[in-house]
């Protein structure tokens, strides 16, 4: 998928991998520079941005990525020969600052109003550095930013990256916004297995069986190459006892 523009747009794509080309709504604050002890590690974002100073001990405690690094290279090295910098060239400095803010206990998702592309960049950075809770919060923020036209992409992204919080949010959005989604052009692009799951749910926001049947027909019309068995499965999923 193409990387989104830096500024918010009506229907930005969801990049599958970090693009390093987005901006955040505002630069978050970090406590690294004002720490009690001097910082001893620099995170190097993409050039020519300045590095971000952090405490290695904190990263080791809160990031599975750095714990893995320590178990390999740092554990067998003398203190004086340990690395003093780590490159992260696929991330912008703004994104690195958000990740560092999360590491130091900041509310990094105060930037939830950022463009969708920026949120996705933060997700990639959080997963890269092994930050479980910030990753979960970022997934939830992405779902809130996804519009109807982007729901099929969001489902694909969630499945590709095993983003369970994002997947659950997309499924809830499909249930809650069924009445408008089934009339949207994105309807025919939604994955069949997710439609079957939604149509079989007691929480589907459908006004009538006729509305559900029309939605199944609309999906089948948009996917003429779908097997009859697939369409029948969707139809049977929509049947209520």
């Amino acid at each position: 998928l193409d990387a989104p523009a830096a500024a918010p747009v009506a229907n930005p794509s969801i990049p599958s991998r970090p693009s390093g080309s987005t901006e955040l709504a505002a630069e978050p604050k970090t406590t690294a520079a004002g720490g009690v002890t001097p910082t001893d590690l620099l995170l190097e974002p993409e050039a020519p941005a300045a590095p971000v100073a952090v405490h290695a001990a904190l990263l080791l405690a809160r990031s599975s990525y750095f714990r893995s690094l320590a178990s390999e290279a740092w554990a067998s090295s003398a203190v004086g020969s340990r690395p003093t910098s780590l490159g992260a060239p696929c991330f912008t400095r703004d994104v690195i600052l958000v990740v560092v803010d999360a590491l130091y206990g900041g509310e990094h998702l105060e930037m939830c109003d950022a463009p969708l592309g920026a949120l996705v960049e933060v997700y990639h950075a959080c997963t890269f550095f092994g930050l479980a809770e910030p990753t979960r919060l970022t997934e939830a923020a992405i779902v809130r930013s996804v519009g109807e036209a982007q729901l099929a992409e969001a489902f694909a992204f969630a499945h590709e990256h095993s983003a369970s919080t994002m997947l659950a949010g997309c499924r809830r959005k499909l249930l809650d916004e069924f009445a408008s989604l089934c009339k949207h052009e994105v309807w025919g692009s939604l994955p069949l297995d997710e439609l079957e799951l939604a149509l079989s749910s007691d929480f589907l926001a459908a006004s009538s069986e006729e509305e559900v049947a029309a939605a199944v027909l609309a999906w089948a019309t948009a996917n003429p190459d779908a097997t009859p068995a697939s369409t029948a499965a969707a139809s049977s999923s929509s049947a209520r006892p």
Side-chain angles (χ1 to χ4, degrees):
L1 296 175
D2 294 334
V9 292
N11 296 308
S13 296
I14 301 176
S16 180
R17 292 287 182 263
S19 65
S21 62
T22 56
E23 297 177 359
L24 299 180
E27 181 173 296
K29 297 178 180 179
T30 74
T31 58
V36 177
T37 57
T39 57
D40 54 359
L41 183 69
L42 296 177
L43 296 182
E44 303 276 0
E46 62 180 9
V52 178
V54 294
H55 296 86
L58 184 100
L59 268 62
L60 289 171
R62 298 186 178 178
S63 168
S64 61
Y65 173 86
F66 285 102
R67 285 195 297 273
S68 175
L69 185 66
S71 67
E72 295 173 5
W74 290 15
S76 60
S77 302
V79 174
S81 63
R82 289 180 179 180
T84 57
S85 66
L86 177 70
C90 54
F91 302 115
T92 65
R93 189 173 192 272
D94 280 346
V95 169
I96 292 297
L97 283 169
V98 172
V99 171
V100 169
D101 191 52
L103 282 166
Y104 281 83
E107 295 296 331
H108 82 292
L109 287 178
E110 289 178 356
M111 42 68 70
C112 284
D113 292 332
L116 176 59
L119 289 170
V120 174
E121 294 292 320
V122 172
Y123 167 84
H124 287 304
C126 287
T127 56
F128 179 83
F129 289 112
L131 308 177
E133 183 62 10
T135 296
R136 185 189 68 78
L137 294 174
T138 306
E139 288 180 39
I142 290 172
V143 172
R144 289 193 294 271
S145 298
V146 165
E148 291 181 342
Q150 302 153 328
L151 188 57
E153 283 186 284
F155 268 120
F157 183 97
H159 280 292
E160 178 185 355
H161 296 280
S162 300
S164 58
T165 298
M166 185 175 177
L167 182 59
C170 289
R171 287 171 173 168
R172 174 55 61 183
K173 185 181 288 285
L174 177 53
L175 292 173
D176 294 344
E177 301 177 20
F178 169 78
S180 57
L181 281 169
C182 68
K183 299 177 178 64
H184 195 282
E185 61 183 8
V186 75
W187 181 252
S189 301
L190 294 177
L192 178 60
D193 56 342
E194 294 296 342
L195 292 183
E196 291 177 1
L197 188 64
L199 294 175
S200 63
S201 172
D202 292 334
F203 299 100
L204 184 69
S207 59
S208 66
E209 291 292 339
E210 289 74 17
E211 182 181 36
V212 175
V216 172
L217 179 60
W219 188 91
T221 301
N223 295 273
D225 295 331
T227 63
S230 297
T231 305
S235 298
S236 62
S237 296
S238 67
R240 296 288 194 275

